[in-house]
Amino acid sequence: GAVVSQHPSWVICKSGTSVKIECRSLDFQATTMFWYRQFPKQSLMLMATSNEGSKATYEQGVEKDKFLINHASLTLSTLTVTSAHPEDSSFYICSARAGDRVFSFFGQGTRLTVV
Amino acid sequence: RKEVEQDPGPFNVPEGATVAFNCTYSNSASQSFFWYRQDCRKEPKLLMSVYSSGNEDGRFTAQLNRASQYISLLIRDSKLSDSATYLCAVNTNAGKSTFGDGTTLTVKP
């Protein structure tokens, strides 16, 4: 099946620093990528939808200036958590969709811990 | 009201038991439906798609009722390895997934 690679799988950073997470589709062109966040014992919450070459669409309550999303190519999207704080500690997961397929493939997730 | 509501669980069952999970969704325009399995601290993995005609994959059976906006997952002959959190997901035609909160299953020897 299609493979989506997310990197890094885990990261610990100091409060106030920025962290970049990469999401790559390895064997297909991802016209759309989705970024989710999952807090412990909660479900995945969609943060934003990213279409290649255009600005991301953020869900209500998600700060676009804090969570910068770039989808410059059909195989790569990045999420940058700027000025991270401990409350940003979470499991961030991307998923990628090819064309008009109804199904998306998930990356392995990135566990972010801000200390 | 949440867009996707799932049985809260947790479900603790003995090996060999049959267990059923239910999920309701509120958006009647939803296009596609899935069940995912998520192991602790891992990403969700697709278990199966859900169709109105019902679909079966080994011990797993999924069913969709569009009129009632309800999907279900039945696991027969539970194994220890089935212990995980099961998430239902509802997609729009744009591929955006809305997930339920998940139901945790623990299968005990």
Side-chain angles (χ1 to χ4, degrees):
Chain A
V3 178
V4 175
S5 177
Q6 191 172 335
H7 178 82
S9 55
W10 61 270
V11 58
I12 301 173
C13 71
K14 289 185 178 179
S15 191
T17 61
S18 295
V19 174
K20 180 185 282 189
I21 302 170
E22 292 187 349
C23 182
R24 293 180 185 273
S25 56
L26 299 185
D27 54 359
F28 67 100
Q29 293 186 324
T31 49
T32 306
M33 287 190 174
F34 304 93
W35 287 96
Y36 294 85
R37 180 167 55 181
Q38 186 178 34
F39 291 106
K41 299 192 183 298
Q42 295 185 27
S43 191
L44 286 82
M45 297 299 294
L46 181 66
M47 299 175 67
T49 302
S50 168
N51 291 298
E52 185 265 338
S54 62
K55 289 184 178 180
T57 302
Y58 289 80
E59 296 297 303
Q60 191 172 10
V62 178
E63 298 173 58
K64 62 179 181 178
D65 295 328
K66 180 170 180 64
F67 300 99
L68 302 178
I69 292 173
N70 182 284
H71 192 166
S73 78
L74 284 170
T75 59
L76 174 64
S77 177
T78 61
L79 166 68
T80 301
V81 182
T82 62
S83 186
H85 291 286
E87 57 265 30
D88 298 322
S89 299
S90 187
F91 191 46
Y92 293 84
I93 310 175
C94 69
S95 70
R97 185 174 79 116
D100 60 354
R101 293 191 177 183
V102 295
F103 179 67
S104 304
F105 297 92
F106 281 90
Q108 303 96 318
T110 298
R111 190 161 300 281
L112 170 64
T113 302
V114 185
V115 297
Chain B
R1 184 190 170 193
K2 291 182 181 178
E3 280 191 56
V4 179
E5 301 249 22
Q6 249 186 277
D7 278 347
F11 284 66
N12 298 300
V13 302
E15 270 188 292
T18 296
V19 60
F21 303 137
N22 302 312
C23 185
T24 57
Y25 60 95
S26 59
N27 185 352
S28 58
S30 299
Q31 296 286 318
S32 50
F33 310 87
F34 306 93
W35 281 102
Y36 286 83
R37 170 194 170 124
Q38 185 174 28
D39 292 291
C40 188
R41 302 174 77 83
K42 300 279 190 180
E43 80 279 17
K45 291 192 184 295
L46 180 67
L47 186 62
M48 55 200 309
S49 302
V50 190
Y51 307 110
S52 297
S53 55
N55 51 312
E56 187 174 314
D57 182 3
R59 298 181 292 107
F60 298 84
T61 301
Q63 189 74 48
L64 165 66
N65 184 320
R66 282 191 183 271
S68 302
Q69 295 183 192
Y70 167 99
I71 65 176
S72 64
L73 175 69
L74 184 75
I75 305 175
R76 290 181 299 278
D77 189 22
S78 301
K79 310 290 184 191
L80 296 177
S81 57
D82 294 333
S83 297
T85 297
Y86 291 82
L87 302 164
C88 63
V90 175
N91 281 22
T92 64
N93 59 1
K96 185 172 93 169
S97 296
T98 301
F99 288 85
D101 286 344
T103 302
T104 299
L105 171 66
T106 302
V107 181
K108 298 182 176 179

